[in-house]
Structures are given as C-alpha cells and as structure tokens.
Amino acid sequence: MGVLAAILWLTKPNFFNKNNTVYIYTLDGMYTFKVFSVYETNMYYPYIRTHFANNDAFDEFAKTVQANSIHENGDFVLNGESHILTLSTCNNRTDEGRVAVHAVLTEYYER
C-alpha cells in the first residue's frame, strides 16, 4: 500500500488502532513519529503551518489539530520543542477535500 493510500486508511478506526506510527528512514537515521490527529478538512484550512510567532501560537495550533482528530490516541503533551510531521492527501470526495494527519516525533536513531 502506498503512503497516500495509508493516509486515507487512517480514517478507519481498526486500521488506525494498529497503524498509528510513522517511520521515516534517511541517510542520517530513522525517525519515529506517533500519529496524534487524523481529520478531514479542505485545502484552505491552515493545517500545514510550519512557522509560529512564538510558543503560544504553536500551542494553540497543536491544541486545535488535536481537537480536530476523529480518533483518540492518548494525551500527547506538545510544546514549542515538539517536532510535528504533517501529511495530507485528497479525500477523493471533492476537489478541495483533504485528509490531514499530524504526528509527533517520539524517537530518533542516528546511523
């Protein structure tokens, strides 16, 4: 299954409960992310923000995307030091519809 197909499958509770970890392998090492939010949105929603004026702005963003999630996945404590991975794909229902996934870095193994 391709990465984009997996994003759509994360909206299904049974799949999400068994597959809520993302591994990214690079030349430098392996990154492990735990998914904390999955939701449907549209292409205009600011789910892909990467810059924040301060830690309070980041905290507000993190709380908002956590609240958007269609699944419960534990109580993640996110702060200005957290590294967030955001993935998205079309939801295949409308031209503007998207499925967004947010995950927090939990481990890094250097090669």
Side-chain angles (χ1 to χ4, degrees):
M1 168 184 333
V3 172
L4 298 180
I7 292 172
L8 292 174
W9 276 95
L10 285 170
T11 62
K12 312 286 186 207
N14 288 338
F15 186 86
F16 175 82
N17 290 334
K18 296 176 184 174
N19 300 281
N20 56 28
T21 303
V22 177
Y23 301 97
I24 296 179
Y25 300 91
T26 70
L27 294 176
D28 298 325
M30 182 184 82
Y31 299 81
T32 304
F33 293 84
K34 194 72 166 174
V35 176
F36 67 89
S37 183
V38 178
Y39 56 96
E40 292 198 38
T41 188
N42 63 57
M43 63 190 284
Y44 305 106
Y45 187 75
Y47 63 92
I48 56 172
R49 285 186 61 190
T50 57
H51 298 285
F52 302 92
N54 53 43
N55 284 346
D56 290 339
F58 174 83
D59 291 345
E60 185 63 31
F61 172 78
K63 287 178 190 173
T64 299
V65 297
Q66 279 181 298
N68 289 343
S69 186
I70 60 175
H71 303 300
E72 293 290 328
N73 195 23
D75 292 325
F76 286 94
V77 177
L78 304 172
N79 59 47
E81 300 299 313
S82 297
H83 297 277
I84 305 253
L85 171 69
T86 299
L87 304 170
S88 72
T89 192
C90 298
N91 70 1
N92 294 330
R93 283 198 285 284
T94 67
D95 290 342
E96 298 176 354
R98 301 290 184 267
V99 173
V101 173
H102 301 280
V104 63
L105 180 66
T106 57
E107 295 178 275
Y108 171 70
Y109 299 100
E110 192 172 345
R111 285 188 179 206

